[in-house]
Amino acid sequence: MAGTGILVVVETSAGVPRPTALELFGAARAIGDALGPVTALVVGRSVAAAADQVARLGADRVLVADAEEFAEPVAARMARAVAAAWETAQPTLVFLPGTTLGRDVAAVVAAQRGVPHLVDVVMLELTDEEIVAIRPVYQSKLLTTVRASRARPAVVTVRAGSFRPPEPAEPAARVEPLTVTLSDADRRVRVTRTVEKPRGQVDLESAPVVVVGGRGIGEPEGFAQLAELAELLGGALGCTRAVSDLGWRPHYEQIGQTGKQVRPKLYLGVGVSGAVQHTVGMQGSETIVVINRDPNAPLVKMADFALVADWTEIVPRLIARLRERRGRAG
Amino acid sequence: MSQERVEVIVVGAGPAGVAAALTLARAGVEVVVLERGAYPGAKNVMGGILYRQPTEELVPGFWREAPLERAIVEQRYLLLTEEDAIGLTYRTPAFGEPPYNAFSVLRAEWDRWFAQQAEAAGALIATEVTVEDVLWEDGRIVGVRAGEQGELAADVVVIADGANSLLAQKAGLARDWRPEEQALVAKELWRLPAEEIERRFNVPSGQGVAIEAFGAATGGLLGYGFLYTNRDTLSIGTGALLSELIEHEVNVSDLLDRFKRHPAIAPLLDGAELVEYSAHLIPEGGWRALPTLFTDGALVVGDAAGFVNPLSREGSNFAMISGKLAAETILEARALGDFSAHALSRYWEKLEKSFVLQDLETIRDVMPFVRARPYLLRDYPAAFAHSLRHYLTVDSTPKAQKYRAIVETLLAELGPSRLLRDAAALVFRLAR
Amino acid sequence: MKIAALVKQVPDPNAVRFDPRLGELVPGIQHVVNEYDLYALEAALRLREQVGGEVVVASVGPARDALNRGLAMGADRAVAIEGEGLPGDAWVTATVLAAWLRRERPDVVWCGQETSDSGTGSVGPAVAALLELPLVSNVVGWEFRDGRFEIEREIEDGHQFQEVEPPVVLCALSALPQPRLPTLRGIMDARRKPVERLAPTELDLGPDALVPLVRWEGLRQPVAKAAGVVVQDVPPDEAVERLLAFLEARGLLG
């Protein structure tokens, strides 16, 4: 078998680990200790705090690539950092988060080394000869099992929400800086600016709760209530393609075939009929709750709990009750 | 700028258009089929019945390789009341052996396979092209226009764009359609394991059943319900005249729901899983609603021409044969170098000699006949069902007394003169 | 400028159905051009319209219809790389494409972000890695000015703008301008455009280069959920209480 142990690549954003990246330690734990040490690589700028956090998640060693050049997500640069950590750790498995950056980087480093890349994995197992993973295909309508030989190391990207991040535990692992030398080629792509989503918003793909509004909301103004509901439930706001096509909500909030894939603990669909276009992006949700006027809407049939009612009758009351609860708790 | 041109343009890649293209391509004619969908059959998710003999006129031995679902060995006719059913079944093993009689097909697969035969013969099938109008020159049709996708010229245009043909209207061949000439059909496809279908319908593997139901199948409206067995799906649907649906303010999908819940139908669907739903219009005007079928530079075929037999649901037969006859007409016209209405009028002669026009003529008065007697599909099933229940209920009543009671029931519910008149009128019309 | 557009045919995503008995997709599903690839093709054509040059549309594996579509939309020529086992896994596809692209040396490679079948999203990045070209994925907008691309990407944090000079690999999302429909002239012209057929051996790829690193093994449906609770015709206040009770019972109220 090539290499030993697991390299976990922790992507950060504004110095904070992406939630999906923390779930990788859950995946590493699920595989067991038999593989050898877990090395974490934290990449970003001003990530000392992130490295400390990661050091308590079960890593044996934390490598930190902390530099201005990693402030912005650029695949070539992060791939260089992963390559440097790879040389240091000589792992048999490399885990990356299933983010836009993680997937690019994983594909790049796997191709550079000519090793297998298992994408979008929701379950992972090792046999003596093979790495066996389950992943969604056909736009998440179906699952398949993928296999790769263990004769070579393998790169694995993990789908958001598939594993639980472990609870922090002492002792913390050793944290050491990793020197990464970028070539001119790595600098060919430059980030000029980023138009960020409004602050304080939970990331849709890793949010534990997703509140989604469909065309049934009737007007763009209605989404203010859904945003509040999402905030009260500790979740993020999403929408259907019909809604983003109408320009009621930005495209990046769209869930479905041509948008984001979510599998939160709670999916709350309001005025969403449940076209296949949409359901392929949310059918992995643990609990599905639907508020819709139409009892025959496909999503009502998928729901664990469906309220057949006009959302304007329900949502304001629900918000009021959740505010009350929060008042009591806080 | 020179205009692109081909010998023949066929608009629509359904059975009629493809039959025309196949026949032309085989004869070495440069033919382009312009199809609106992403591929032939893309808009046709549902199932239907395909008859062997007319299809073999186009592709001999097709049943050895085409995507067919089941050979239909049993035809059931049902007359339904709210809860009861009266049936007539015909079954023969002969229909389950080569060369067969009819097959259930999934249109998406069949249409695609049929189109591939035309492509293999040399026809070009261009998809996602929406033809909006014909091109005119000196009063004759010389090509088509597809909006921003541009124009294409041809010696002759075969109009095969389906029911309520926009192009036939643009070509001045058809008037706008009327609600009493259209049926709205709601169809669903339900998945059920093949073995379960075979058990439930009492057929061996590869063989199947077609059911057609009248009366309460459509809530007494002029129309029908149907159920066909496919390999591992069931096609079920109801259709009714659009004018009747409007008049009675009935939704066709409600009719279908009621049909599915009927005690004679519901057990057949038990445990099945819904795959698809669709609703579409089919022409039911018959002979009386036929458009002009040819003009200078153009012919109309298939559903676009309203070639549907309202009594036996043989749309795809009529479509394929009319497409073939149109193509043969074009070949003759091509030999003469004359695509005028005069030369293309041979199409009409060919249709008259075929079952297409003969069948439409035979039944041309049936629809008005039924339409004039709305009670046929309401009162008759109920009266027959009452009589049969009475007859079959064993209650120590002497048989002679039962017969008398049955006759009394029928007379009371239907009226003596009405019964005789209707029977005589129908026989007269069909046998004429 | 020479622009390559990479396309793949996939089972029509609207027709994809699982056959539980076969453990595979139902047989006979029509293949269509992968949606994102059409957006990539459109972007390639627009770039050519702006700066001149040629668009070559290429595919690995059976793709007659996809290549015809590309030619009908306006690509100048097509390349079909076909052979046993192709397109293979993402690694094999990327290896074959990279071998061909080394020969063609285009200035820009446009491909779709991912396919609707296997959906790894790996081919574009892997091609970039193998050719040592810069990569910009998740492209939702672009401009080409003074020999430089300014590209808008959609990522988790919002919209990121990047700058890069050709040669470059760009992966398209469907927020780009809609792919054009072929014109009738384009459809007729396509029949006269060159289609080059290549076998992997012509790209100096032996059987060893075409061994997939990751193998698929069967399909299955995600476990269907049991039918849930449907609350209907209940006064709103009561309905909200029932919903809260349900969420509480599942531990979803924090």
Side-chain angles (χ1 to χ4, degrees):
Chain A
M1 182 177 58
T4 171
I6 304 175
L7 173 64
V8 174
V9 180
V10 178
E11 179 190 342
T12 60
S13 170
V16 178
R18 292 228 184 256
T20 325
L22 300 181
E23 291 167 8
L24 299 176
F25 293 96
R29 184 163 291 181
I31 287 286
D33 300 329
L35 280 180
V38 174
T39 306
L41 166 66
V42 180
V43 191
R45 181 187 51 183
S46 310
V47 291
D52 276 349
Q53 182 186 356
V54 165
R56 288 172 174 78
L57 293 178
D60 298 283
R61 179 183 182 196
V62 179
L63 303 173
V64 182
D66 193 334
E68 181 61 34
E69 282 156 321
F70 301 125
E72 298 283 357
V74 177
R77 298 180 199 178
M78 177 131 140
R80 187 66 66 188
V82 173
W86 195 312
E87 290 310 318
T88 307
Q90 293 295 327
T92 186
L93 284 179
V94 179
F95 285 179
L96 287 108
T99 56
T100 52
L101 180 65
R103 290 177 71 161
D104 281 357
V105 170
V108 166
V109 295
Q112 282 168 344
R113 288 176 180 260
V115 301
H117 174 200
L118 295 100
V119 185
D120 217 14
V121 165
V122 297
M123 242 169 75
L124 192 64
E125 243 175 41
L126 294 181
T127 68
D128 287 346
E129 289 87 32
E130 287 184 312
I131 308 155
V132 185
I134 295 178
R135 62 165 298 229
V137 287
Y138 293 105
Q139 302 174 318
S140 301
K141 281 182 214 167
L142 299 171
L143 296 173
T144 188
T145 303
V146 287
R147 290 173 182 270
S149 160
R150 285 180 67 183
R152 282 179 261 205
V155 179
V156 177
T157 45
V158 176
R159 192 181 176 95
S162 304
F163 297 89
R164 261 175 212 286
E167 293 299 321
E170 302 295 335
R174 195 174 55 196
V175 175
E176 22 186 317
L178 177 73
T179 310
V180 181
T181 314
L182 294 188
S183 69
D184 286 347
D186 301 331
R187 295 192 178 90
R188 285 178 296 193
V189 173
R190 288 96 57 192
V191 175
T192 51
R193 63 198 161 104
T194 302
V195 180
E196 292 192 11
K197 285 189 289 199
R199 276 283 158 202
Q201 207 173 293
V202 184
D203 183 45
L204 197 52
E205 280 162 304
S206 53
V209 175
V210 174
V211 177
V212 177
R215 203 186 195 130
I217 297 302
E219 47 166 20
E221 292 71 29
F223 281 84
Q225 289 188 53
L226 297 191
E228 182 172 7
L229 184 56
E231 197 266 325
L232 284 164
L233 289 166
L237 179 64
C239 69
T240 62
R241 182 171 180 167
V243 165
S244 62
D245 282 355
L246 285 165
W248 293 357
R249 298 300 303 172
H251 184 72
Y252 59 74
E253 285 181 7
Q254 182 197 318
I255 293 168
Q257 190 173 314
T258 50
K260 299 214 155 81
Q261 310 276 319
V262 299
R263 27 188 307 134
K265 291 186 179 42
L266 171 63
Y267 168 101
L268 174 56
V270 187
V272 178
S273 68
V276 173
Q277 206 285 333
H278 178 67
T279 56
V280 297
M282 52 63 71
Q283 61 195 5
S285 307
E286 271 176 46
T287 298
I288 298 175
V289 174
V290 178
I291 301 170
N292 199 316
R293 255 197 321 219
D294 176 10
N296 295 317
L299 201 59
V300 168
K301 300 192 167 138
M302 282 174 71
D304 298 283
F305 188 97
L307 249 177
V308 179
D310 192 324
W311 74 271
T312 57
E313 297 272 322
I314 301 296
V315 171
R317 287 177 166 86
L318 189 56
I319 287 173
R321 291 283 284 118
L322 289 169
R323 275 202 207 123
E324 265 174 49
R325 288 175 63 98
R326 180 189 270 185
R328 276 204 309 272
Chain B
M1 192 175 86
S2 75
Q3 202 171 25
E4 288 279 349
R5 76 176 292 123
V6 292
E7 290 190 79
V8 181
I9 294 167
V10 177
V11 181
V18 169
L22 174 62
T23 309
L24 290 165
R26 277 191 188 139
V29 178
E30 185 193 21
V31 53
V32 174
V33 183
L34 303 178
E35 163 61 33
R36 202 162 49 147
Y39 46 85
K43 300 259 157 67
N44 269 318
V45 289
M46 296 297 163
I49 297 291
L50 182 80
Y51 291 85
R52 191 269 308 166
Q53 189 277 333
T55 311
E56 269 201 306
E57 286 194 25
L58 287 147
V59 189
F62 73 94
W63 43 268
R64 290 189 187 90
E65 46 183 292
L68 305 169
E69 295 286 306
R70 287 173 184 271
I72 300 299
V73 295
E74 182 174 316
Q75 171 78 40
R76 299 179 192 168
Y77 297 99
L78 293 177
L79 201 52
L80 303 180
T81 71
E82 280 310 314
E83 297 208 308
D84 300 356
I86 304 168
L88 172 69
T89 294
Y90 176 70
R91 176 172 180 142
T92 174
F95 284 173
E97 289 163 15
Y100 306 100
N101 177 55
F103 303 93
S104 53
V105 292
L106 292 176
R107 282 288 303 278
E109 290 179 31
W110 165 261
D111 283 15
R112 190 146 47 90
W113 184 85
F114 194 39
Q116 283 163 2
Q117 309 312 302
E119 275 190 301
L124 174 65
I125 298 191
T127 54
E128 288 183 72
V129 177
T130 305
V131 173
E132 291 168 359
D133 207 345
V134 290
L135 300 177
W136 298 90
E137 200 179 288
D138 302 330
R140 42 165 297 153
I141 291 170
V142 294
V144 298
R145 177 179 295 121
E148 289 177 3
Q149 290 174 288
E151 299 177 348
L152 187 62
D155 293 332
V156 60
V157 175
V158 178
I159 297 174
D161 57 344
N164 309 319
S165 167
L166 173 74
L167 220 52
Q169 281 181 46
K170 296 270 187 185
L173 297 173
R175 55 176 162 72
D176 207 358
W177 55 278
R178 298 173 183 159
E180 67 270 22
E181 292 164 0
Q182 301 289 327
L184 187 58
V185 181
K187 286 178 164 188
E188 290 177 354
L189 194 69
W190 289 75
R191 186 158 353 150
L192 195 64
E195 303 76 30
E196 182 57 25
I197 290 177
E198 285 143 24
R199 200 186 58 74
R200 212 171 269 194
F201 289 85
N202 187 28
V203 284
S205 172
Q207 301 188 4
V209 173
I211 298 174
E212 269 152 29
F214 303 89
T218 54
L221 297 189
L222 190 45
Y224 60 100
F226 61 85
L227 190 158
Y228 309 135
T229 57
N230 304 314
R231 192 180 67 82
D232 61 357
T233 51
L234 302 174
S235 301
I236 185 165
T238 51
L241 275 191
L242 196 53
S243 54
E244 295 236 320
L245 291 168
I246 295 168
E247 187 187 325
H248 293 88
E249 296 181 10
V250 183
N251 187 328
V252 72
S253 60
D254 293 341
L255 282 186
L256 178 52
D257 280 341
R258 237 188 295 168
F259 180 48
K260 287 186 302 189
R261 283 200 302 268
H262 192 280
I265 299 296
L268 299 174
L269 286 171
D270 187 39
E273 178 199 342
L274 181 64
V275 184
E276 303 272 7
Y277 169 87
S278 83
H280 65 178
L281 286 171
I282 60 173
E284 291 284 358
W287 177 271
R288 285 158 190 270
L290 287 185
T292 310
L293 295 173
F294 55 89
T295 185
D296 291 313
L299 296 159
V300 193
V301 300
D303 280 9
F307 289 151
V308 171
N309 179 343
L311 279 194
S312 62
R313 323 278 147 234
E314 293 178 32
S316 60
N317 281 356
F318 283 28
M320 287 189 290
I321 296 303
S322 65
K324 176 172 173 260
L325 297 177
E328 287 168 4
T329 307
I330 291 168
L331 292 175
E332 290 170 15
R334 182 173 176 252
L336 300 170
D338 175 7
F339 298 98
S340 67
H342 176 72
L344 298 179
S345 69
R346 293 270 300 138
Y347 179 42
W348 180 261
E349 291 166 31
K350 289 176 194 294
L351 285 166
E352 274 190 317
K353 280 189 210 134
S354 79
F355 67 87
V356 176
L357 281 187
Q358 290 183 18
D359 281 3
L360 282 181
E361 199 171 358
T362 304
I363 55 155
R364 76 177 185 190
D365 293 329
V366 171
M367 290 299 273
F369 172 85
V370 181
R371 210 174 295 146
R373 294 164 181 78
Y375 53 86
L376 278 180
L377 293 171
R378 288 170 216 153
D379 302 349
Y380 275 57
F384 290 141
H386 290 158
S387 306
L388 279 166
R389 182 188 295 186
H390 191 66
Y391 173 67
L392 293 168
T393 307
V394 174
D395 56 3
S396 309
T397 313
K399 284 284 182 285
Q401 200 177 321
K402 283 206 168 187
Y403 295 143
R404 235 181 356 259
I406 286 168
V407 172
E408 276 161 17
T409 307
L410 288 176
L411 291 177
E413 292 193 20
L414 299 174
S417 56
R418 203 208 246 180
L419 254 179
L420 280 172
R421 244 189 1 246
D422 290 346
L426 186 63
V427 169
F428 172 73
R429 276 174 172 79
L430 285 177
R432 205 170 45 163
Chain C
M1 187 178 273
K2 187 192 271 191
I3 307 154
L6 312 181
V7 298
K8 184 188 181 189
Q9 279 181 199
V10 294
D12 181 355
N14 298 315
V16 161
R17 273 205 291 134
F18 180 66
D19 187 327
R21 208 175 45 165
L22 298 175
E24 295 169 13
L25 296 187
V26 294
I29 296 174
Q30 170 80 20
H31 280 58
V32 297
V33 189
N34 183 52
E35 190 189 3
Y36 289 143
D37 298 354
L38 285 174
Y39 283 87
L41 192 49
E42 176 65 29
L45 295 169
R46 285 177 184 234
L47 181 57
R48 183 195 63 189
E49 281 155 13
Q50 184 191 332
V51 302
E54 70 161 351
V55 171
V56 193
V57 58
S59 191
V60 178
R64 193 191 63 141
D65 291 349
L67 296 177
N68 277 341
R69 178 58 175 255
L71 294 174
M73 282 169 71
D76 299 281
R77 59 191 170 93
V79 175
I81 308 170
E82 289 168 0
E84 203 181 316
L86 294 184
D89 69 348
W91 163 253
V92 170
T93 304
T95 304
V96 172
L97 286 169
W100 171 70
L101 288 163
R102 265 186 211 109
R103 210 171 76 171
E104 288 277 352
R105 306 187 68 77
D107 300 286
V108 177
V109 179
W110 271 106
C111 60
Q113 176 64 32
E114 63 180 45
T115 57
S116 63
D117 52 0
S118 55
T120 65
S122 297
V123 171
V127 163
L130 292 172
L131 298 174
E132 297 180 15
L133 292 180
L135 162 75
V136 184
S137 67
N138 295 285
V139 175
V140 295
W142 59 274
E143 264 181 47
F144 185 72
R145 244 196 323 235
D146 306 328
R148 171 185 303 163
F149 282 101
E150 179 167 1
I151 293 168
E152 182 178 357
R153 310 176 64 220
E154 192 169 275
I155 61 172
E156 286 83 352
D157 299 325
H159 282 221
Q160 185 192 53
F161 292 80
Q162 295 188 338
E163 258 180 16
V164 65
E165 289 81 20
V168 63
V169 176
L170 302 171
C171 308
L173 286 176
S174 58
L176 286 171
Q178 282 275 334
R180 67 195 67 188
L181 286 172
T183 61
L184 288 169
R185 170 168 292 276
I187 290 165
M188 304 309 287
D189 279 348
R191 299 187 301 178
R192 297 181 281 266
K193 289 178 178 172
V195 179
E196 185 184 4
R197 291 184 189 287
L198 288 175
T201 48
E202 294 170 79
L203 296 168
D204 299 322
L205 295 170
D208 290 352
L210 304 178
V211 179
L213 296 178
V214 177
R215 300 188 320 278
W216 275 42
E217 192 181 82
L219 290 173
R220 64 178 176 279
Q221 272 174 315
V223 178
K225 293 195 175 198
V229 184
V230 178
V231 175
Q232 202 168 354
D233 302 324
V234 168
D237 284 320
E238 190 194 330
V240 168
E241 291 315 311
R242 284 213 215 168
L243 173 55
L244 286 167
F246 172 83
L247 294 176
E248 183 95 80
R250 293 233 173 167
L252 292 165
L253 286 182

